[in-house]
PDB file of all heavy atoms in Angstrom:
ATOM      1  N   SER A  39      22.814 -36.566   6.373  1.00 84.00           N
ATOM      2  CA  SER A  39      23.821 -36.473   7.427  1.00 84.00           C
ATOM      3  C   SER A  39      23.252 -35.757   8.652  1.00 84.00           C
ATOM      4  O   SER A  39      22.898 -34.568   8.575  1.00 84.00           O
ATOM      5  CB  SER A  39      25.041 -35.708   6.912  1.00 84.00           C
ATOM      6  OG  SER A  39      25.901 -35.389   7.972  1.00 84.00           O
ATOM      7  N   ASN A  40      23.202 -36.472   9.766  1.00 86.00           N
ATOM      8  CA  ASN A  40      22.743 -35.847  11.019  1.00 86.00           C
ATOM      9  C   ASN A  40      23.677 -34.723  11.447  1.00 86.00           C
ATOM     10  O   ASN A  40      23.218 -33.700  11.971  1.00 86.00           O
ATOM     11  CB  ASN A  40      22.634 -36.884  12.132  1.00 86.00           C
ATOM     12  CG  ASN A  40      21.413 -37.764  11.980  1.00 86.00           C
ATOM     13  OD1 ASN A  40      20.448 -37.401  11.318  1.00 86.00           O
ATOM     14  ND2 ASN A  40      21.468 -38.936  12.588  1.00 86.00           N
ATOM     15  N   ASP A  41      24.972 -34.920  11.232  1.00 85.00           N
ATOM     16  CA  ASP A  41      25.936 -33.887  11.615  1.00 85.00           C
ATOM     17  C   ASP A  41      25.700 -32.605  10.826  1.00 85.00           C
ATOM     18  O   ASP A  41      25.721 -31.505  11.387  1.00 85.00           O
ATOM     19  CB  ASP A  41      27.370 -34.378  11.396  1.00 85.00           C
ATOM     20  CG  ASP A  41      27.753 -35.493  12.357  1.00 85.00           C
ATOM     21  OD1 ASP A  41      27.123 -35.591  13.432  1.00 85.00           O
ATOM     22  OD2 ASP A  41      28.676 -36.257  12.029  1.00 85.00           O
ATOM     23  N   LEU A  42      25.474 -32.747   9.538  1.00 81.00           N
ATOM     24  CA  LEU A  42      25.212 -31.586   8.692  1.00 81.00           C
ATOM     25  C   LEU A  42      23.917 -30.892   9.113  1.00 81.00           C
ATOM     26  O   LEU A  42      23.863 -29.665   9.220  1.00 81.00           O
ATOM     27  CB  LEU A  42      25.126 -32.028   7.220  1.00 81.00           C
ATOM     28  CG  LEU A  42      24.845 -30.963   6.189  1.00 81.00           C
ATOM     29  CD1 LEU A  42      25.878 -29.854   6.271  1.00 81.00           C
ATOM     30  CD2 LEU A  42      24.833 -31.584   4.805  1.00 81.00           C
ATOM     31  N   GLU A  43      22.908 -31.687   9.381  1.00 86.00           N
ATOM     32  CA  GLU A  43      21.627 -31.139   9.837  1.00 86.00           C
ATOM     33  C   GLU A  43      21.823 -30.373  11.154  1.00 86.00           C
ATOM     34  O   GLU A  43      21.273 -29.282  11.330  1.00 86.00           O
ATOM     35  CB  GLU A  43      20.639 -32.291  10.021  1.00 86.00           C
ATOM     36  CG  GLU A  43      19.206 -31.884  10.065  1.00 86.00           C
ATOM     37  CD  GLU A  43      18.270 -33.084  10.009  1.00 86.00           C
ATOM     38  OE1 GLU A  43      18.611 -34.109   9.391  1.00 86.00           O
ATOM     39  OE2 GLU A  43      17.200 -32.969  10.602  1.00 86.00           O
ATOM     40  N   ASN A  44      22.603 -30.937  12.058  1.00 85.00           N
ATOM     41  CA  ASN A  44      22.869 -30.279  13.340  1.00 85.00           C
ATOM     42  C   ASN A  44      23.590 -28.953  13.157  1.00 85.00           C
ATOM     43  O   ASN A  44      23.237 -27.950  13.781  1.00 85.00           O
ATOM     44  CB  ASN A  44      23.680 -31.192  14.260  1.00 85.00           C
ATOM     45  CG  ASN A  44      22.872 -32.358  14.772  1.00 85.00           C
ATOM     46  OD1 ASN A  44      21.646 -32.325  14.795  1.00 85.00           O
ATOM     47  ND2 ASN A  44      23.556 -33.417  15.166  1.00 85.00           N
ATOM     48  N   VAL A  45      24.592 -28.937  12.301  1.00 83.00           N
ATOM     49  CA  VAL A  45      25.350 -27.699  12.082  1.00 83.00           C
ATOM     50  C   VAL A  45      24.437 -26.604  11.545  1.00 83.00           C
ATOM     51  O   VAL A  45      24.478 -25.462  12.013  1.00 83.00           O
ATOM     52  CB  VAL A  45      26.543 -27.925  11.116  1.00 83.00           C
ATOM     53  CG1 VAL A  45      27.155 -26.601  10.683  1.00 83.00           C
ATOM     54  CG2 VAL A  45      27.586 -28.812  11.762  1.00 83.00           C
ATOM     55  N   LEU A  46      23.609 -26.935  10.588  1.00 83.00           N
ATOM     56  CA  LEU A  46      22.768 -25.906   9.968  1.00 83.00           C
ATOM     57  C   LEU A  46      21.607 -25.449  10.848  1.00 83.00           C
ATOM     58  O   LEU A  46      21.245 -24.268  10.823  1.00 83.00           O
ATOM     59  CB  LEU A  46      22.231 -26.404   8.623  1.00 83.00           C
ATOM     60  CG  LEU A  46      23.268 -26.541   7.511  1.00 83.00           C
ATOM     61  CD1 LEU A  46      22.628 -27.125   6.263  1.00 83.00           C
ATOM     62  CD2 LEU A  46      23.914 -25.203   7.203  1.00 83.00           C
ATOM     63  N   PHE A  47      21.037 -26.353  11.629  1.00 86.00           N
ATOM     64  CA  PHE A  47      19.795 -26.004  12.314  1.00 86.00           C
ATOM     65  C   PHE A  47      19.902 -25.781  13.824  1.00 86.00           C
ATOM     66  O   PHE A  47      18.988 -25.210  14.414  1.00 86.00           O
ATOM     67  CB  PHE A  47      18.723 -27.057  12.024  1.00 86.00           C
ATOM     68  CG  PHE A  47      18.336 -27.107  10.577  1.00 86.00           C
ATOM     69  CD1 PHE A  47      18.661 -28.199   9.794  1.00 86.00           C
ATOM     70  CD2 PHE A  47      17.671 -26.048   9.982  1.00 86.00           C
ATOM     71  CE1 PHE A  47      18.313 -28.249   8.454  1.00 86.00           C
ATOM     72  CE2 PHE A  47      17.327 -26.078   8.646  1.00 86.00           C
ATOM     73  CZ  PHE A  47      17.643 -27.185   7.872  1.00 86.00           C
ATOM     74  N   LEU A  48      20.990 -26.203  14.445  1.00 82.00           N
ATOM     75  CA  LEU A  48      21.131 -25.969  15.884  1.00 82.00           C
ATOM     76  C   LEU A  48      21.779 -24.610  16.138  1.00 82.00           C
ATOM     77  O   LEU A  48      22.683 -24.185  15.412  1.00 82.00           O
ATOM     78  CB  LEU A  48      21.961 -27.073  16.538  1.00 82.00           C
ATOM     79  CG  LEU A  48      21.320 -28.455  16.591  1.00 82.00           C
ATOM     80  CD1 LEU A  48      22.247 -29.442  17.284  1.00 82.00           C
ATOM     81  CD2 LEU A  48      19.969 -28.423  17.297  1.00 82.00           C
ATOM     82  N   ASP A  49      21.339 -23.948  17.194  1.00 82.00           N
ATOM     83  CA  ASP A  49      21.844 -22.617  17.506  1.00 82.00           C
ATOM     84  C   ASP A  49      23.208 -22.623  18.194  1.00 82.00           C
ATOM     85  O   ASP A  49      23.739 -21.566  18.498  1.00 82.00           O
ATOM     86  CB  ASP A  49      20.834 -21.874  18.395  1.00 82.00           C
ATOM     87  CG  ASP A  49      19.583 -21.488  17.633  1.00 82.00           C
ATOM     88  OD1 ASP A  49      19.670 -21.311  16.401  1.00 82.00           O
ATOM     89  OD2 ASP A  49      18.513 -21.373  18.266  1.00 82.00           O
ATOM     90  N   VAL A  50      23.771 -23.792  18.440  1.00 83.00           N
ATOM     91  CA  VAL A  50      25.085 -23.849  19.103  1.00 83.00           C
ATOM     92  C   VAL A  50      26.223 -23.493  18.149  1.00 83.00           C
ATOM     93  O   VAL A  50      27.329 -23.215  18.600  1.00 83.00           O
ATOM     94  CB  VAL A  50      25.347 -25.247  19.734  1.00 83.00           C
ATOM     95  CG1 VAL A  50      24.350 -25.522  20.829  1.00 83.00           C
ATOM     96  CG2 VAL A  50      25.335 -26.333  18.693  1.00 83.00           C
ATOM     97  N   PHE A  51      25.938 -23.468  16.860  1.00 85.00           N
ATOM     98  CA  PHE A  51      26.964 -23.119  15.877  1.00 85.00           C
ATOM     99  C   PHE A  51      26.791 -21.665  15.454  1.00 85.00           C
ATOM    100  O   PHE A  51      25.663 -21.161  15.361  1.00 85.00           O
ATOM    101  CB  PHE A  51      26.882 -24.039  14.656  1.00 85.00           C
ATOM    102  CG  PHE A  51      27.177 -25.476  14.995  1.00 85.00           C
ATOM    103  CD1 PHE A  51      26.143 -26.365  15.256  1.00 85.00           C
ATOM    104  CD2 PHE A  51      28.481 -25.930  15.082  1.00 85.00           C
ATOM    105  CE1 PHE A  51      26.403 -27.679  15.588  1.00 85.00           C
ATOM    106  CE2 PHE A  51      28.763 -27.247  15.414  1.00 85.00           C
ATOM    107  CZ  PHE A  51      27.717 -28.125  15.673  1.00 85.00           C
ATOM    108  N   THR A  52      27.895 -21.005  15.156  1.00 86.00           N
ATOM    109  CA  THR A  52      27.838 -19.594  14.775  1.00 86.00           C
ATOM    110  C   THR A  52      27.353 -19.453  13.334  1.00 86.00           C
ATOM    111  O   THR A  52      27.371 -20.412  12.553  1.00 86.00           O
ATOM    112  CB  THR A  52      29.232 -18.938  14.894  1.00 86.00           C
ATOM    113  OG1 THR A  52      30.099 -19.532  13.913  1.00 86.00           O
ATOM    114  CG2 THR A  52      29.803 -19.090  16.293  1.00 86.00           C
ATOM    115  N   VAL A  53      26.971 -18.243  13.010  1.00 86.00           N
ATOM    116  CA  VAL A  53      26.547 -17.930  11.645  1.00 86.00           C
ATOM    117  C   VAL A  53      27.687 -18.206  10.669  1.00 86.00           C
ATOM    118  O   VAL A  53      27.461 -18.741   9.573  1.00 86.00           O
ATOM    119  CB  VAL A  53      26.068 -16.460  11.548  1.00 86.00           C
ATOM    120  CG1 VAL A  53      25.879 -16.027  10.113  1.00 86.00           C
ATOM    121  CG2 VAL A  53      24.792 -16.261  12.342  1.00 86.00           C
ATOM    122  N   GLU A  54      28.907 -17.888  11.068  1.00 89.00           N
ATOM    123  CA  GLU A  54      30.068 -18.101  10.201  1.00 89.00           C
ATOM    124  C   GLU A  54      30.293 -19.587   9.948  1.00 89.00           C
ATOM    125  O   GLU A  54      30.592 -19.998   8.811  1.00 89.00           O
ATOM    126  CB  GLU A  54      31.336 -17.475  10.813  1.00 89.00           C
ATOM    127  CG  GLU A  54      31.329 -15.960  10.852  1.00 89.00           C
ATOM    128  CD  GLU A  54      30.480 -15.377  11.990  1.00 89.00           C
ATOM    129  OE1 GLU A  54      30.191 -16.091  12.993  1.00 89.00           O
ATOM    130  OE2 GLU A  54      30.071 -14.216  11.858  1.00 89.00           O
ATOM    131  N   GLU A  55      30.165 -20.393  10.997  1.00 88.00           N
ATOM    132  CA  GLU A  55      30.329 -21.842  10.837  1.00 88.00           C
ATOM    133  C   GLU A  55      29.258 -22.416   9.912  1.00 88.00           C
ATOM    134  O   GLU A  55      29.551 -23.225   9.026  1.00 88.00           O
ATOM    135  CB  GLU A  55      30.272 -22.545  12.198  1.00 88.00           C
ATOM    136  CG  GLU A  55      31.465 -22.253  13.082  1.00 88.00           C
ATOM    137  CD  GLU A  55      31.298 -22.749  14.506  1.00 88.00           C
ATOM    138  OE1 GLU A  55      30.158 -22.716  15.031  1.00 88.00           O
ATOM    139  OE2 GLU A  55      32.313 -23.161  15.106  1.00 88.00           O
ATOM    140  N   LYS A  56      28.023 -21.986  10.113  1.00 88.00           N
ATOM    141  CA  LYS A  56      26.930 -22.447   9.256  1.00 88.00           C
ATOM    142  C   LYS A  56      27.162 -22.019   7.813  1.00 88.00           C
ATOM    143  O   LYS A  56      26.966 -22.808   6.882  1.00 88.00           O
ATOM    144  CB  LYS A  56      25.587 -21.908   9.760  1.00 88.00           C
ATOM    145  CG  LYS A  56      25.156 -22.492  11.081  1.00 88.00           C
ATOM    146  CD  LYS A  56      23.835 -21.906  11.528  1.00 88.00           C
ATOM    147  CE  LYS A  56      23.456 -22.466  12.895  1.00 88.00           C
ATOM    148  NZ  LYS A  56      22.089 -22.176  13.254  1.00 88.00           N
ATOM    149  N   SER A  57      27.588 -20.781   7.625  1.00 88.00           N
ATOM    150  CA  SER A  57      27.837 -20.271   6.273  1.00 88.00           C
ATOM    151  C   SER A  57      28.956 -21.034   5.580  1.00 88.00           C
ATOM    152  O   SER A  57      28.842 -21.359   4.394  1.00 88.00           O
ATOM    153  CB  SER A  57      28.184 -18.781   6.319  1.00 88.00           C
ATOM    154  OG  SER A  57      27.081 -18.034   6.746  1.00 88.00           O
ATOM    155  N   ASP A  58      30.026 -21.311   6.318  1.00 89.00           N
ATOM    156  CA  ASP A  58      31.144 -22.053   5.734  1.00 89.00           C
ATOM    157  C   ASP A  58      30.727 -23.459   5.307  1.00 89.00           C
ATOM    158  O   ASP A  58      31.075 -23.924   4.215  1.00 89.00           O
ATOM    159  CB  ASP A  58      32.312 -22.141   6.726  1.00 89.00           C
ATOM    160  CG  ASP A  58      33.004 -20.801   6.929  1.00 89.00           C
ATOM    161  OD1 ASP A  58      32.796 -19.883   6.100  1.00 89.00           O
ATOM    162  OD2 ASP A  58      33.737 -20.670   7.938  1.00 89.00           O
ATOM    163  N   VAL A  59      29.969 -24.130   6.161  1.00 87.00           N
ATOM    164  CA  VAL A  59      29.501 -25.488   5.842  1.00 87.00           C
ATOM    165  C   VAL A  59      28.551 -25.445   4.652  1.00 87.00           C
ATOM    166  O   VAL A  59      28.666 -26.241   3.717  1.00 87.00           O
ATOM    167  CB  VAL A  59      28.832 -26.140   7.073  1.00 87.00           C
ATOM    168  CG1 VAL A  59      28.099 -27.405   6.701  1.00 87.00           C
ATOM    169  CG2 VAL A  59      29.872 -26.414   8.150  1.00 87.00           C
ATOM    170  N   PHE A  60      27.626 -24.483   4.671  1.00 88.00           N
ATOM    171  CA  PHE A  60      26.685 -24.388   3.562  1.00 88.00           C
ATOM    172  C   PHE A  60      27.397 -24.069   2.249  1.00 88.00           C
ATOM    173  O   PHE A  60      27.043 -24.603   1.198  1.00 88.00           O
ATOM    174  CB  PHE A  60      25.588 -23.356   3.831  1.00 88.00           C
ATOM    175  CG  PHE A  60      24.695 -23.166   2.650  1.00 88.00           C
ATOM    176  CD1 PHE A  60      23.812 -24.161   2.266  1.00 88.00           C
ATOM    177  CD2 PHE A  60      24.782 -22.026   1.873  1.00 88.00           C
ATOM    178  CE1 PHE A  60      23.017 -24.023   1.137  1.00 88.00           C
ATOM    179  CE2 PHE A  60      23.989 -21.867   0.754  1.00 88.00           C
ATOM    180  CZ  PHE A  60      23.106 -22.873   0.387  1.00 88.00           C
ATOM    181  N   LYS A  61      28.402 -23.195   2.301  1.00 90.00           N
ATOM    182  CA  LYS A  61      29.144 -22.840   1.090  1.00 90.00           C
ATOM    183  C   LYS A  61      29.770 -24.079   0.460  1.00 90.00           C
ATOM    184  O   LYS A  61      29.711 -24.266  -0.764  1.00 90.00           O
ATOM    185  CB  LYS A  61      30.223 -21.814   1.418  1.00 90.00           C
ATOM    186  CG  LYS A  61      30.997 -21.324   0.223  1.00 90.00           C
ATOM    187  CD  LYS A  61      32.004 -20.259   0.621  1.00 90.00           C
ATOM    188  CE  LYS A  61      32.747 -19.731  -0.589  1.00 90.00           C
ATOM    189  NZ  LYS A  61      33.728 -18.708  -0.210  1.00 90.00           N
ATOM    190  N   ALA A  62      30.340 -24.938   1.286  1.00 87.00           N
ATOM    191  CA  ALA A  62      30.947 -26.179   0.782  1.00 87.00           C
ATOM    192  C   ALA A  62      29.899 -27.086   0.140  1.00 87.00           C
ATOM    193  O   ALA A  62      30.127 -27.663  -0.932  1.00 87.00           O
ATOM    194  CB  ALA A  62      31.659 -26.915   1.914  1.00 87.00           C
ATOM    195  N   ILE A  63      28.746 -27.188   0.766  1.00 87.00           N
ATOM    196  CA  ILE A  63      27.654 -28.016   0.220  1.00 87.00           C
ATOM    197  C   ILE A  63      27.168 -27.433  -1.100  1.00 87.00           C
ATOM    198  O   ILE A  63      27.002 -28.142  -2.093  1.00 87.00           O
ATOM    199  CB  ILE A  63      26.469 -28.091   1.203  1.00 87.00           C
ATOM    200  CG1 ILE A  63      26.871 -28.786   2.483  1.00 87.00           C
ATOM    201  CG2 ILE A  63      25.271 -28.794   0.578  1.00 87.00           C
ATOM    202  CD1 ILE A  63      25.881 -28.582   3.603  1.00 87.00           C
TER     203      ILE A  63
END
Side-chain angles (χ1 to χ4, degrees):
S39 169
N40 284 338
D41 292 337
L42 179 56
E43 198 170 329
N44 289 338
V45 169
L46 290 176
F47 296 111
L48 292 181
D49 289 333
V50 296
F51 296 96
T52 66
V53 169
E54 292 78 20
E55 291 170 325
K56 292 179 183 192
S57 294
D58 289 344
V59 168
F60 175 70
K61 183 177 182 180
I63 296 165

